Amino acid sequence: MRKNIVAGNWKMNTTLAEGVGLAKDVNEALKGVDAKCDVIICTPFTHLASVAAVIDQKKLGLGAENCADHIKGAYTGEVSAPMVASTGATYVILGHSERRQYYGETSEILKTKVNLALAENLTPIFCIGEVLEERENGTYFDVVTKQIQEALFDLSAEDFGKLILAYEPVWAIGTGKTATADQAEEMHAHIRKVIADKYGKEVADNCSILYGGSCKPTNAKEIFSKPDVDGGLIGGAALDAASFMGIVTAF
Ligand code: PEP
């Protein structure tokens, strides 16, 4: 079922104590509002079990920011999908542009990660988006289409229906440069059409597609008002409970 969702991506920020404190603050703040969307925080691996112990996951979902492309074994430093699930987390961000850019994550790797996450009943928040050059040379629809087709189109319609997608134009991430609400809507409508062409209108209509890239309390309302934008994946503004709540209450 298509839902409105606001998800925080903490990236490599906060010590354990700071992260638990921030999670408690968001958890507490949510008690005082009638949120019109699902709210999720995705934290560093090291924080997951401790955060799971202090939040009410009926009101505040918990996710990791990545998982390994292997299930177990000699992969020093990696964290598997079963490990993530064992902390109590139920979501995982996959394919974030920083993972693609700095850690060489290809569609082939991401396809494996998505399958491993789904096998653990983790909900992938799957990120797609073009870089500035692709925006400027006009290939952005093709780039995003290919990212979806290559990593996700081997899934059954049932499994595809379990995903959350996040359109994050890379030129807007952490730059303070937000896509306009119309640019977001144009791409979200395109993504929904790509899904409909493959899996049919019902699957496409039921898919939550989040916008990510310098989303703030001041611009969230306008972006979220667009018909194909179902919420946001929030980086910087998720590190402060008040700004994050300002985005949550934009719905
Ligand atoms: C992100 O990295 O997912 C993101 C959207 O970051 P920011 O909100 O800081 O641009």
Side-chain angles (χ1 to χ4, degrees), residues 9 25 27 36 51-52 55 60 75 82-83 111 165 183 189 197 201 215 233 239:
N9 171 17
D25 287 348
N27 190 66
K36 301 285 188 302
V51 168
I55 62 171
L60 178 58
Y75 301 100
M83 291 173 185
K111 193 195 281 191
L165 296 190
Q183 283 173 322
D197 287 348
K201 190 171 173 341
C215 197
L233 180 57
L239 293 171

Side-chain angles (χ1 to χ4, degrees), residues 9 11 96 98 168 172-175 212-215 233-237:
N9 171 17
K11 311 195 186 193
H96 192 279
E98 288 150 17
E168 300 205 303
I173 296 181
T175 57
S214 299
C215 197
L233 180 57
I234 317 300

Side-chain angles (χ1 to χ4, degrees), residues 11 16 18 21 43 50 78 99 103 116 140 173 181 184 187 193 196 216-217 220-221 230 232 240-241 243 246:
K11 311 195 186 193
L16 178 58
E18 289 164 350
T43 81
S50 305
E78 288 292 289
R99 301 291 320 170
Y103 301 96
L116 291 171
Y140 48 101
I173 296 181
M187 180 58 89
K193 182 174 180 316
K216 300 183 263 310
K221 212 179 186 71
D230 305 308
D240 175 80
S243 350

Side-chain angles (χ1 to χ4, degrees), residues 115-133:
N115 282 316
L116 291 171
L118 288 173
E120 294 304 318
N121 291 320
L122 294 169
T123 300
I125 301 173
F126 191 84
C127 304
I128 49 194
E130 80 283 359
V131 298
L132 184 60
E133 190 190 344

Side-chain angles (χ1 to χ4, degrees), residues 49-160:
S50 305
V51 168
V54 299
I55 62 171
D56 173 4
Q57 286 200 54
K58 286 196 279 307
K59 288 204 144 191
L60 178 58
L62 178 63
E65 300 171 17
N66 180 30
C67 72
D69 57 341
H70 296 277
I71 201 156
K72 66 185 286 195
Y75 301 100
T76 303
E78 288 292 289
V79 176
S80 69
M83 291 173 185
V84 169
S86 74
T87 66
T90 59
Y91 297 87
V92 59
I93 296 173
L94 292 175
H96 192 279
S97 64
E98 288 150 17
R99 301 291 320 170
R100 294 177 190 259
Q101 208 176 334
Y102 307 143
Y103 301 96
E105 294 199 357
T106 60
S107 293
E108 208 51 38
I109 291 171
L110 292 171
K111 193 195 281 191
T112 305
K113 291 189 178 197
V114 167
N115 282 316
L116 291 171
L118 288 173
E120 294 304 318
N121 291 320
L122 294 169
T123 300
I125 301 173
F126 191 84
C127 304
I128 49 194
E130 80 283 359
V131 298
L132 184 60
E133 190 190 344
E134 294 157 343
R135 171 60 55 173
E136 288 178 346
N137 69 20
T139 56
Y140 48 101
F141 287 130
D142 294 342
V143 168
V144 168
T145 303
K146 194 159 171 252
Q147 287 172 339
I148 297 170
Q149 287 172 336
E150 285 181 350
L152 304 177
F153 275 8
D154 281 348
L155 293 171
S156 65
E158 189 188 345
D159 279 346
F160 189 92

Side-chain angles (χ1 to χ4, degrees), residues 173-207:
I173 296 181
T175 57
K177 211 176 178 184
T178 321
T180 64
D182 286 340
Q183 283 173 322
E185 172 58 23
E186 185 187 35
M187 180 58 89
H188 283 227
H190 170 76
I191 293 168
R192 217 175 284 288
K193 182 174 180 316
V194 169
I195 300 168
D197 287 348
K198 166 77 179 172
Y199 292 107
K201 190 171 173 341
E202 196 182 336
V203 172
D205 284 347
N206 281 333
C207 183

